[in-house]
Amino acid sequence: MKTLKGTVAGLALSLGLATAAQAELSGTLKIFSDMSNPAPRAVMEQMAEEFDAMHPDLSVELTVIDREAYKTQIRNFLSANPPDVANWYAANRMRPYVSAGLFEDISDLWAEPEIADALASTKGAMTLDGKQWGVPYTYYQWGVYYREDIYNELGLEEPKDWATFKSNCQKILDSGRKCFTIGTKFLWTAGGWFDYLNMRTNGYDFHMALTNGEVAWTDDRVKQTFANWRELIDMGAFIDNHQSYSWQEALPFMVKGEAAAYLMGNFAVAPLREAGLGTDQLDFYQFPSINPDVELAEDAPTDTFHIPSGAQNKEAARAFLRFVVSADNQTKINGGAALGQLPVNSGSSVDDDEMLNQGFEMLSSNSPGGIAQFFDRDAPAEMASVAMEGFQEFMVFPDNLDDILNRLEKARERVY
C-alpha cells in the first residue's frame, strides 16, 4: 500500500488503514458525487485518484452528477443501482434514506478511536436513532460576504446590531446599489435568510423547536421574524427578480458592484475570487444581533459521505471513508486552494485563508447559541420544501404572509 506524503498525519492514516490493507482491497469502488462545481469537483477527482493509487488491485470509478440533479436522482440510484459510496448531507437530510433502509449503519467505524476522538464534534450531526450513518468531510460557515471596497467608499463599518445593519443598507441603496444579491430559483437561499433572521430574533432553541414541528407557524414569535425580514424587503434591499436566478447566477451582481453583499456559505468565496475580486475587495462579517436577549447562533452545514446499504464493495467503501476523514486529507481538501472550508478532523490544520480563519474563529468562539445545519437539513424534507416555497413567495409578495403562514401551519400538522 502506498502511504500518503510522509507526515505524522499520513503515518497515522497508514496505520489506521492497516487492517483493511492486510487483506488488500480489490474489485471496483463506485463513487457517486454531487461535487459538481469546479473547485469541489477537482477535490473529489484528486481524492479518487489518490485512493486508487494507494490500492493497486482496486479500481475507483467516480461519477459526478450536477448538484441539483443529484437531489432528485439519489433515491432512485440508492434503490435501483447503488454505488459503494455516495455524497449527501447530515442531520435530518439523512433521515429519509435511513428510514428506508438505503444507508448502511457505520457505527462500527465511529467506534474506532481515530474517528471517535478526532471527529467527536460532528458525531451528533451524523447520528439518528443512536447510530451513525455516514462521515462528514467538510463543514463551513455562513455569514455576510461583502464588497469591502464599497463599504470603505461609503464609510460603512461591519454592523454588530440590527439598526446599523439597516442604516448601512440605506446608505448602499442611496448610492444606487442593492444591499444584497440573492438567487432564490432553487429556494434554499431564502432558507438561509430565514435561519438567520429567526435565530437572531428568537434564538437557537426556538428555531430548532420550529424545525422539529413543536411550534406553530402562526405563532406571534414567527411573525416577528417575518416582520424583521419585511423591513429589508420594503427598503428594496434585495436585487430584483431574484426568483429567476440560481445562487451562482446571482454572483455577478456582487462582482460588478451592483450589490454590496451576499448572505451565503463559504463555498461562494472561490467563484467570487475567480471572477476577479481581490483581497481588498472581499471580506466577511457575522450576521448581526437583532434581539440582544438571544445568544448568537450560526448555520454551519456539514457535507457527508455514506455507504448505500446495497453497495457491492463495502470493505473498500469503509476504507475510503477512513481515508476521507484522516487528518492529512482533511487539511488538504479543505484548504483555501481546494474546498476553502473547515476540516472535520480535530487533528487537521485550518488553511491560512482570511475567510476560513474568520469562520473558524466565529464558530469556535462567538456562536454560543449553537450550531444549526441549515433550514432544509434541520427540518424534514417535505416541511422544508413547503416552507422554502413560502419564503421565496414572501420575498416577492410580502403581503401574502398570512396565507403563507396558514399554509405552512397546515403542512406542519400533516408532516409531523
Side-chain angles (χ1 to χ4, degrees):
M1 175 183 123
K2 298 174 187 172
T3 59
L4 291 183
K5 290 71 184 169
T7 64
V8 174
L11 179 60
L13 167 63
S14 66
L15 293 174
L17 287 175
T19 307
Q22 283 161 7
E24 180 53 58
L25 302 176
S26 60
T28 300
L29 177 69
K30 294 182 179 178
I31 303 171
F32 281 12
S33 175
D34 66 349
M35 296 164 72
S36 56
N37 290 321
R41 184 181 186 120
V43 165
M44 188 65 242
E45 290 172 349
Q46 177 65 32
M47 278 200 295
E49 288 169 13
E50 196 164 317
F51 192 73
D52 185 85
M54 288 165 63
H55 300 283
D57 297 331
L58 181 72
S59 174
V60 177
E61 291 182 2
L62 172 64
T63 302
V64 178
I65 300 167
D66 173 79
R67 193 156 197 163
E68 297 301 331
Y70 192 97
K71 293 175 184 176
T72 63
Q73 295 175 19
I74 181 170
R75 181 175 285 275
N76 288 340
F77 70 64
L78 287 177
S79 304
N81 187 26
D84 300 302
V85 174
N87 282 131
W88 197 236
Y89 311 109
N92 258 321
R93 288 294 294 277
M94 301 188 297
R95 189 174 292 279
Y97 310 113
V98 170
S99 299
L102 296 172
F103 279 165
E104 178 95 345
D105 173 4
I106 61 161
S107 301
D108 57 309
L109 278 185
W110 282 87
E112 298 173 5
E114 56 267 33
I115 290 182
D117 297 339
L119 272 66
S121 65
T122 62
K123 186 175 182 180
M126 303 310 307
T127 302
L128 289 174
D129 306 322
K131 300 173 183 176
Q132 290 74 53
W133 303 94
V135 297
Y137 67 91
T138 189
Y139 78 117
Y140 51 91
Q141 80 261 26
W142 268 66
V144 182
Y145 295 85
Y146 72 98
R147 285 290 300 269
E148 186 177 11
D149 53 336
I150 293 174
Y151 273 52
N152 288 340
E153 173 198 328
L154 300 176
L156 306 179
E157 299 288 333
E158 293 184 357
K160 301 295 185 192
D161 57 54
W162 187 234
T164 309
F165 192 67
K166 290 184 292 181
S167 66
N168 279 359
C169 182
Q170 189 58 57
K171 290 171 186 170
I172 292 164
L173 291 167
D174 291 344
S175 78
R177 304 172 175 103
K178 290 292 189 179
C179 307
F180 301 102
T181 188
I182 185 173
T184 61
K185 183 176 181 179
F186 294 110
L187 307 178
W188 57 266
T189 48
W193 274 95
F194 179 79
D195 280 354
Y196 274 96
L197 288 161
N198 195 45
M199 287 193 291
R200 293 294 187 265
T201 303
N202 296 304
Y204 174 85
D205 290 342
F206 178 89
H207 186 68
M208 288 298 108
L210 182 67
T211 55
N212 286 328
E214 298 160 16
V215 177
W217 281 91
T218 49
D219 188 291
D220 284 344
R221 293 167 292 180
V222 177
K223 291 179 179 178
Q224 183 57 52
T225 293
F226 283 96
N228 291 334
W229 200 348
R230 178 147 193 177
E231 289 186 62
L232 299 176
I233 295 168
D234 287 349
M235 289 174 74
F238 301 98
I239 62 167
D240 298 329
N241 302 315
H242 52 78
Q243 69 273 22
S244 304
Y245 304 116
S246 68
W247 76 267
Q248 298 100 321
E249 290 166 342
L251 290 166
F253 293 95
M254 186 164 161
V255 174
K256 294 174 184 174
E258 295 168 12
Y262 207 165
L263 176 64
M264 188 47 68
N266 202 61
F267 52 82
V269 171
L272 286 169
R273 286 174 174 162
E274 287 160 11
L277 293 185
T279 309
D280 57 346
Q281 294 176 294
L282 187 61
D283 207 346
F284 170 86
Y285 64 79
Q286 185 172 20
F287 198 100
S289 170
I290 295 177
N291 176 357
D293 295 330
V294 301
E295 292 183 313
L296 298 178
E298 299 300 319
D299 273 341
T302 306
D303 291 352
T304 53
F305 279 104
H306 304 266
I307 302 174
S309 53
Q312 297 300 302
N313 198 342
K314 293 182 180 179
E315 182 186 10
R318 276 174 162 75
F320 181 75
L321 266 52
R322 291 187 190 97
F323 163 67
V324 166
V325 302
S326 65
D328 188 53
N329 186 60
Q330 278 294 301
T331 297
K332 183 164 64 175
I333 70 170
N334 284 294
L339 292 178
Q341 298 183 168
L342 298 170
V344 299
N345 189 310
S346 61
S348 302
S349 57
V350 178
D351 196 79
D352 186 20
D353 175 271
E354 180 188 8
M355 304 304 170
L356 290 181
N357 285 315
Q358 289 194 57
F360 186 74
E361 175 71 17
M362 176 182 76
L363 293 172
S364 12
S365 64
N366 201 31
S367 54
I371 301 292
Q373 282 298 309
F374 194 75
F375 187 83
D376 65 358
R377 306 184 188 197
D378 289 321
E382 186 182 354
M383 187 69 233
S385 177
V386 174
M388 292 189 302
E389 287 173 7
F391 301 159
Q392 184 207 50
E393 180 182 342
F394 174 73
M395 290 188 74
V396 181
F397 302 111
D399 288 340
N400 292 4
L401 180 61
D402 287 343
D403 288 343
I404 292 167
L405 293 180
N406 287 330
R407 193 163 71 238
L408 267 54
E409 179 56 18
K410 287 178 183 171
R412 180 184 77 93
E413 293 167 356
R414 181 179 73 252
V415 169
Y416 297 93

